[in-house]
Amino acid sequence: MTINVYTEQTPNPATMKFMVNKLLINGSEDFATKESAEHSPFAKELFKFNFVSGVFFASNFVTITKTDDAEWADIEAILKEFVKGAVESELKIKEATAEEAPAFEGSETEIKIQQILHDYVRPAVEQDGGAITYKSFDEGVVTVELRGSCSGCPSSTITLKSGIQNLLQRMVPEVTDVVSEAL
């Protein structure tokens, strides 16, 4: 199989999404620091580039965060070629584990919130190179964690309030607010 790699800009100017025509991972893996990539051969190799400051994998893409002193015009082709080679050589993202369907826990309301986030919000956030994780629901407030390109993105607050909060409030009347937990 010939591996094709193409890039997409994300709402976060410091990140770029490198899409491939192959499933890389079920779920997602976030490596916000070089140290966190210790058990990921793929991410570890990416962090060897001094202009890479974050790596995030989901389905068929890797979102790469660059350092402030790097310009996409200078590094995009280098990273594109690296991603192509890494996928072709089947460089591991993480150690193989049995993947399972998402297990939602908590009250009936919490399970409904988690299901909505998984079915409606997750795919949209992944389109922009990020991920969302449910953390808690307490007294009407849903707390989530935004990762990948969504972490530190200038438009993530708008997404959180205008998109996610409005959707949850329409589908789960008990929800009064949605907040993002800082990483």
Side-chain angles (χ1 to χ4, degrees):
M1 175 181 186
T2 301
I3 298 298
N4 297 313
V5 180
Y6 65 95
T7 56
E8 284 184 6
Q9 291 183 329
T10 72
N12 184 346
T15 68
M16 185 161 302
K17 194 170 161 184
F18 292 78
M19 308 280 298
V20 298
N21 57 329
K22 178 181 179 181
L23 181 68
L24 299 175
I25 186 172
N26 285 318
S28 64
E29 287 291 324
D30 190 19
F31 303 99
T33 64
K34 188 176 190 172
E35 295 73 29
S36 67
E38 189 58 37
H39 299 291
S40 170
F42 198 142
K44 200 171 175 180
E45 289 299 312
L46 278 167
F47 275 109
K48 288 182 179 178
F49 293 104
N50 63 357
F51 48 77
V52 171
S53 68
V55 178
F56 173 77
F57 296 95
S59 58
N60 68 328
F61 66 87
V62 55
T63 299
I64 300 173
T65 305
K66 68 173 185 67
T67 57
D68 291 338
D69 59 343
E71 296 297 329
W72 285 117
D74 299 330
I75 64 174
E76 182 178 349
I78 295 166
L79 290 170
K80 203 171 175 180
E81 199 57 39
F82 174 82
V83 169
K84 178 178 173 50
V87 172
E88 286 174 342
S89 66
E90 299 185 6
L91 193 58
K92 298 280 185 218
I93 292 170
K94 64 176 187 166
E95 295 307 314
T97 58
E99 293 295 332
E100 29 183 274
F104 303 131
E105 297 177 351
S107 68
E108 189 177 318
T109 301
E110 289 174 297
I111 290 170
K112 187 172 183 181
I113 291 166
Q114 292 170 67
Q115 188 72 54
I116 292 166
L117 290 173
H118 182 268
D119 293 348
Y120 299 98
V121 179
R122 181 187 55 84
V125 171
E126 284 182 358
Q127 285 283 88
D128 285 337
I132 185 167
T133 306
Y134 170 83
K135 299 306 274 182
S136 65
F137 176 67
D138 186 37
E139 295 183 12
V141 179
V142 176
T143 302
V144 296
E145 179 181 273
L146 298 171
R147 296 175 299 158
S149 70
C150 296
S151 177
C153 175
S155 57
S156 65
T157 303
I158 295 166
T159 300
L160 198 64
K161 296 299 179 184
S162 299
I164 300 167
Q165 182 172 306
N166 287 344
L167 174 70
L168 284 173
Q169 286 176 328
R170 277 196 315 273
M171 297 178 86
V172 184
E174 297 88 345
V175 172
T176 59
D177 195 15
V178 177
V179 296
S180 177
E181 186 175 84
L183 293 177

